[in-house]
Amino acid sequence: MRVLTVNPGSSSLKLSLVEPDGTVLAEESGAGHEMAPLVARMPRPDAVGVRFVHGGSDFTGPVVVDDGVVERLHALADLAPLHQPASLHALSEISAALPGVPAVACFDTAFHATLPDAAATYALPARWREQFGLRRYGFHGLSFSYAVRRAGELLGGDPAAFRMVICHLGSGASLAAVANGVSVDTTMGFTPLEGLVMASRAGSLDPGIPLWLIKHGVDAAEVNDGLERDSGLLGLTGTGDMREIRSRAASYDVDALAALDVYHHRLRGCAAAMVASLGGLDVLVFTGGVGEHDPSVRIRLAEDLGFLGVGIDHERNEGVGAGAGVAGDAEVTSDGAGVRSLVIRAREDLEIAAGVRQVLS
């Protein structure tokens, strides 16, 4: 089955045509409104898979799209306002461009359906939790799911045999603690706002802050936009681009240096928390745009977690994803380190294709 995978971002669109053996026959990318011309340049697929960030409690695995599914997806849009509307738009566009081709929705939250109650439950009144479905859902699940399988291949063993912390570091960023091959903890929660400092999201913060702002006259919609679009690295430096921040830090820009300290302080603490949830660590995985392409982020986290047995070889690390380095999958563990460290290219497209075949086969 030839599967077209559709991966919409908040302002971008990536298409991959994946053959049954996992070969990517064609790739296209562009702005969200360019669906029809992108599809026209590719061979016709047998099925389509569309990435959705949030599946709520309704969707814990890939699902064939029908009118009822679309209605439920619209109801979840305000939980992921940067991405869910873009995915709904992409689904509509791809359905119009490829009439008669079955479409499957694949969810970033599905991987975390295995979270134990202790990790998924907020200490909130039962009436709120039950009425509004308030719980920790987690995100980046398609990336995490692929990384688990690929890590097993690189390590030459069953991925269920390893305790892994997977770092999906990009514009959006989160960590997952994986034991027995499934998610047991993660840093994002009810929405993608919780957890790490990100490109434009603040990550975890005192919930009293937005309440205080609203109480003092800041409109709730402005608070929401500020937390989603104007915070994180952007709020600290004026840019959410880690490459620019890294360049400015090399010139001793005070704001850039401070932002990196804030970023790594949160990353170190969250990573250690994931290790605590696992009761130890066998494998540390880096993926996502920053995780794959920024050796400095990898080496600094390794140094921060050195007390847990993490060690990264500087030469191997510099040879992966930076400058003239090779983008792709590699082990960067230093000799004698107790924890193995891997860099794995994020391949949501292959995971989406696998999910489509799972429900249509």
Side-chain angles (χ1 to χ4, degrees):
M1 181 185 297
R2 179 180 288 172
V3 179
L4 175 64
T5 69
V6 182
N7 189 347
S10 55
S11 60
S12 63
L13 180 69
K14 296 179 182 178
L15 305 180
S16 293
L17 192 62
V18 184
E19 294 282 76
D21 64 357
T23 301
V24 177
L25 184 64
E27 291 183 284
E28 295 283 356
S29 61
H33 62 276
E34 295 179 341
M35 178 72 74
L38 293 179
V39 172
R41 292 200 290 266
M42 307 175 82
R44 186 176 177 87
D46 302 308
V48 174
V50 182
R51 176 195 176 202
F52 279 83
V53 166
H54 214 309
S57 298
D58 291 342
F59 303 110
T60 58
V63 61
V64 178
V65 173
D66 58 24
D67 290 343
V69 168
V70 172
E71 183 178 352
R72 289 150 71 193
L73 290 172
H74 274 283
L76 296 168
D78 65 344
L79 297 181
L82 285 182
H83 292 280
Q84 202 84 348
S87 293
L88 286 163
H89 176 73
L91 176 61
S92 176
E93 291 288 306
I94 199 69
S95 298
L98 294 170
V101 176
V104 174
C106 300
F107 301 94
D108 271 322
T109 48
F111 180 70
H112 302 292
T114 55
L115 287 177
D117 288 345
T121 304
Y122 287 115
L124 294 170
R127 63 184 184 277
W128 292 353
R129 288 185 277 114
E130 293 166 4
Q131 180 178 355
F132 299 110
L134 301 181
R135 54 158 288 161
R136 302 185 70 247
Y137 290 103
F139 300 91
H140 294 126
L142 294 167
S143 174
F144 288 136
S145 183
Y146 174 79
V148 170
R149 291 191 294 105
R150 182 63 179 133
E153 294 172 357
L154 294 174
L155 297 168
D158 182 352
F162 303 98
R163 296 166 298 180
M164 301 184 193
V165 170
I166 304 176
C167 307
H168 180 100
L169 305 178
S171 294
S174 68
L175 311 180
V178 177
N180 298 314
V182 300
S183 174
V184 298
D185 205 354
T186 190
T187 55
M188 283 182 170
F190 180 64
T191 74
L193 281 172
E194 189 177 357
L196 302 173
V197 173
M198 299 171 237
S200 66
R201 298 184 186 122
S204 295
L205 76 166
D206 183 341
I209 292 175
L211 294 174
W212 188 92
L213 290 169
I214 292 169
K215 180 180 178 181
H216 286 79
V218 181
D219 182 75
E222 183 181 350
V223 171
N224 182 75
D225 285 347
L227 295 177
E228 285 274 6
R229 297 177 171 86
D230 298 325
S231 298
L233 295 172
L234 177 63
L236 294 171
T237 67
T239 179
D241 189 330
M242 180 63 83
R243 293 165 298 184
E244 181 178 339
I245 293 169
R246 185 73 61 195
S247 176
R248 286 167 50 182
S251 300
Y252 302 101
D253 180 282
V254 173
D255 288 341
L257 289 167
L260 289 174
D261 286 343
V262 171
Y263 180 92
H264 278 282
H265 176 81
R266 182 74 56 80
L267 178 58
R268 175 181 63 223
C270 287
M274 294 297 102
V275 176
S277 292
L278 293 170
L281 181 64
D282 302 311
V283 182
L284 181 66
V285 177
F286 295 91
T287 191
V290 174
E292 296 170 39
H293 298 290
D294 193 329
S296 298
V297 166
R298 297 193 295 262
I299 203 70
R300 184 164 175 177
L301 182 60
E303 290 171 350
D304 287 341
L305 300 182
F307 69 100
L308 294 171
V310 178
I312 286 180
D313 182 274
H314 284 254
E315 184 174 348
R316 294 173 192 160
N317 183 54
E318 289 293 332
V320 180
V326 177
D329 303 338
E331 180 165 359
V332 292
T333 312
S334 63
D335 294 339
V339 173
R340 296 178 73 174
S341 296
L342 307 176
V343 181
I344 294 177
R345 181 185 173 196
R347 293 304 305 268
E348 288 99 336
D349 56 343
L350 298 185
E351 198 62 26
I352 292 168
V356 171
R357 296 189 183 103
Q358 173 189 328
V359 297
L360 292 181
S361 61

